[in-house]
Amino acid sequence: MADRLKGKVALVVGAGSVGPGWGNGKATAVAFAREGARVFCADINPAAAEETAGIIKDAGGEAVPHRADVSKAADVAAMVESCSFTYGQIDVLDNNVGIAEVGGVVEVSEKDWDRVFAINLKSAFLTMKHVIPLMLRQGGGSIINISSIASIRYTGVPYATYYATKAALNHLTRTTSVEYANKRIRVNAILPGLMKTPMVEKSVELAKSYAGGDVEEMWRVRDRQIPMGFGGDAWDVAWAAVYLASDESRYVTGIELTVDGGLTLKYV
């Protein structure tokens, strides 16, 4: 199907990529545009936001780049105001911001704990806080929070901050979905598994945890963990987001859509 998001405006938070290739937010922004949405591409890195918006515009779509640090309330308020001023509405909010710091509760510093919570969890709180009133006035909308299978399983890597923030994001998604269900605002989460994205590739600590720092071996180790035998990529997350953004999922709210090749179904 084409034009599944025709007439909709999508605010994609974390629409850039931390390196060459396709991150979840970048692929989602482009997928939304391919399905007819006008896309407001927000990222802390203005060059990354501009790159994504440029890809969309080069393909004949409509997109606007915007720089925002969504762990800061003033930036979020300005971002939502700018998107609303530009397009007059926000039908879809897609939260793709997240970082991972390796370290269990003993090893992680208080500074890193606070920083990861601000980026991974506070950002979703702030974006929903500012977008939901607009969606209420519009008569509805779809919010998609990108979580992780780390929110429900120990993945073999000790990163307490990531586990805790993503688990909290899941429950914030559930409770918010119920609170606004009768207002036609749907709130869902996507739980990606072991994905091949620039963020993972650039994480020195993850490569050390999996394969002593060898990135290619890390991919092979991760592939062997997955029942399907291969890691997913950003497009797998993006097309799941298209479904949740579209009217095809009009009766779906409060779910955790797992995109992991069957990994979380394994006993070991």
Side-chain angles (χ1 to χ4, degrees), residues 43-90:
D43 201 276
I44 195 169
N45 181 345
E50 289 167 7
E51 180 192 16
T52 302
I55 291 170
I56 292 170
K57 288 186 282 189
D58 288 346
E62 189 172 343
V64 172
H66 181 89
R67 190 269 174 192
D69 178 348
V70 289
S71 68
K72 296 179 178 178
D75 276 24
V76 173
M79 173 186 72
V80 173
E81 183 179 357
S82 180
C83 183
S84 180
F85 177 80
T86 301
Y87 290 125
Q89 65 197 67
I90 300 176

Side-chain angles (χ1 to χ4, degrees), residues 196-207:
K196 294 182 177 179
T197 64
M199 187 185 86
V200 177
E201 186 171 16
K202 287 175 69 68
S203 174
V204 174
E205 292 302 317
L206 277 178

Side-chain angles (χ1 to χ4, degrees), residues 175-187 250 253:
T175 55
T176 306
S177 75
V178 174
E179 186 177 355
Y180 290 98
N182 67 350
K183 304 299 184 183
R184 301 297 185 266
I185 297 173
R186 299 182 297 105
V187 190
R250 71 182 186 93
T253 195

Side-chain angles (χ1 to χ4, degrees), residues 105-124:
V105 292
V106 173
E107 295 81 18
V108 71
S109 69
E110 182 180 3
K111 180 180 178 181
D112 283 343
W113 178 273
D114 290 342
R115 183 169 69 93
V116 176
F117 265 78
I119 294 171
N120 289 12
L121 185 61
K122 183 182 177 183
S123 62

Side-chain angles (χ1 to χ4, degrees), residues 203-244:
S203 174
V204 174
E205 292 302 317
L206 277 178
K208 284 182 180 178
S209 295
Y210 275 102
D214 185 331
V215 174
E216 291 305 316
E217 180 60 20
M218 175 182 70
W219 296 138
R220 288 189 286 270
V221 171
R222 284 160 65 100
D223 286 350
R224 289 196 294 269
Q225 292 179 266
I226 303 165
M228 282 189 171
F230 63 92
D233 61 29
W235 293 101
D236 297 308
V237 176
W239 292 116
V242 166
Y243 166 68
L244 292 175

Side-chain angles (χ1 to χ4, degrees), residues 17-62:
S17 182
V18 299
W22 294 94
N24 292 334
K26 182 178 177 182
T28 297
V30 172
F32 282 174
R34 288 178 179 174
E35 291 297 329
R38 292 170 288 170
V39 186
F40 196 84
C41 302
D43 201 276
I44 195 169
N45 181 345
E50 289 167 7
E51 180 192 16
T52 302
I55 291 170
I56 292 170
K57 288 186 282 189
D58 288 346
E62 189 172 343

